[in-house]
Amino acid sequence: MNMNKIIEIKNISKSFGSNRILENVSLDIFSGEVICIIGRSGIGKSVLVKHINRLIEPDNGIILFHGKEINKLNKKELYSIRKKIGFLFQSGALFDSMNVFENLALPLIKHTNFDNVKISKLVSEKLEMVGMPGVEKLMPSELSGGMRKRVGLARTIILEPEVIIYDEPTTGLDPVMSDTINQLINSLNNRLKVTSIVITHDMKTVETVADSVAMIHDRQIIFYGSKEQFFRNDNENVKNFIRGISS
């Protein structure tokens, strides 16, 4: 991992109605790292991360991607940035009416001028990368939860993004499949030389994949540091979260 900042989140605040979710949150994300953003359910992890590709607009504060202020980009510039930031949603977010091949080909058809041969090659290559070769003709309804997650991940990397955001990647999966997904996050991070942002409350995921950890509690980041520092931390809220104890 190098120490170049790829994303800078500066003093972000966000409310929905009278519900204040984030308050003056700042966070630097470095090129090539795997950062786990953790905290209890409903605490604002996904809300924070959705600011990065402007799926959510902040009430105040700014987000920089390679030094460019995302909040100020026009529509064309924003789409260009979004192609560089892959987002794996919890469900995999596959289109049920399309088979696996069509799901993966769609971003290529929309965003590139590749011919059918090139598209087929890339679809096969990305499915191979996530350990799902030869499933092009299957429908999403024919896939298990873990398979859907991996196919969703193949679609996330089809445009070869610089950043991959994983939203609760192991939620709803059994321990063996969860470990498979965690190993896949590590493998893709090294193989594709990407930066990975993992939203999770799963301590096993943190242990397996994290270089650094940021913990959100009570609208703010109460811990930011290396994985080793996280597991040795004396903050009562951090310790309770690691142990799964309500505070």
Side-chain angles (χ1 to χ4, degrees):
M1 184 183 83
N2 64 45
M3 295 310 288
N4 294 328
K5 292 176 190 175
I6 188 168
I7 294 165
E8 298 167 73
I9 297 169
K10 294 178 180 286
N11 301 314
I12 289 294
S13 294
K14 185 65 185 175
S15 298
F16 295 103
S18 60
N19 187 16
R20 189 77 148 170
I21 304 293
L22 301 170
E23 191 152 11
N24 292 324
V25 170
S26 296
L27 181 66
D28 292 333
I29 297 172
F30 294 90
S31 183
E33 77 168 330
V34 181
I35 179 169
C36 285
I37 297 180
I38 65 165
R40 293 170 61 182
S41 297
I43 206 78
K45 304 184 296 293
S46 295
V47 170
L48 175 64
V49 167
K50 283 176 181 173
H51 283 86
I52 292 172
N53 55 2
R54 229 168 100 187
L55 291 173
I56 291 177
E57 299 276 358
D59 295 338
N60 59 266
I62 61 170
I63 302 99
L64 305 175
F65 182 74
H66 285 305
K68 232 181 225 184
E69 194 174 328
I70 286 180
N71 318 53
K72 291 184 175 174
L73 300 180
N74 63 37
K75 195 176 275 189
K76 187 178 176 186
E77 292 168 326
L78 180 60
Y79 280 141
S80 173
I81 293 286
R82 282 179 174 167
K83 283 191 278 182
K84 297 174 184 175
I85 303 172
F87 204 114
L88 179 66
F89 294 92
Q90 276 188 47
S91 63
L94 301 176
F95 294 106
D96 290 332
S97 60
M98 297 180 177
N99 67 21
V100 169
F101 178 86
E102 291 163 338
N103 265 285
L104 266 70
L106 187 63
L108 297 172
I109 292 165
K110 282 180 73 173
H111 298 296
T112 74
N113 297 314
F114 296 156
D115 61 25
N116 291 340
V117 174
K118 173 82 167 170
I119 288 173
S120 293
K121 181 175 178 291
L122 283 170
V123 168
S124 299
E125 184 184 283
K126 297 313 188 242
L127 286 171
E128 186 83 43
M129 272 189 189
V130 300
M132 293 286 290
V135 300
E136 285 90 337
K137 292 183 179 173
L138 294 181
M139 299 299 289
S141 59
E142 298 176 89
L143 305 174
S144 69
M147 290 167 78
R148 286 175 74 98
K149 196 85 78 168
R150 283 191 279 171
V151 170
L153 182 50
R155 190 180 63 186
T156 301
I157 63 175
I158 198 86
L159 291 173
E160 301 183 345
E162 290 181 50
V163 176
I164 303 174
I165 299 171
Y166 299 85
D167 189 5
E168 303 281 6
T170 61
T171 293
L173 301 180
D174 64 62
V176 174
M177 184 50 68
S178 293
D179 188 58
T180 300
I181 296 294
N182 289 337
Q183 298 301 337
L184 200 47
I185 292 170
N186 282 334
S187 164
L188 290 176
N189 207 72
N190 295 328
R191 196 166 165 185
L192 301 176
K193 307 298 182 200
V194 293
T195 302
S196 298
I197 302 168
V198 184
I199 304 167
T200 188
H201 51 251
D202 182 354
M203 287 301 99
K204 189 71 181 161
T205 295
V206 176
E207 285 174 13
T208 307
V209 308
D211 294 311
S212 60
V213 181
M215 180 171 169
I216 301 176
H217 178 79
D218 197 19
R219 300 185 296 279
Q220 297 182 326
I221 290 178
I222 61 162
F223 172 85
Y224 172 63
S226 71
K227 172 171 62 182
E228 292 73 24
Q229 290 168 331
F230 172 69
F231 283 109
R232 291 199 309 264
N233 199 268
D234 284 335
N235 180 293
E236 205 59 35
N237 288 307
V238 173
K239 288 198 295 188
N240 287 341
F241 189 81
I242 291 169
R243 295 174 189 152
I245 300 168
S246 63
S247 50

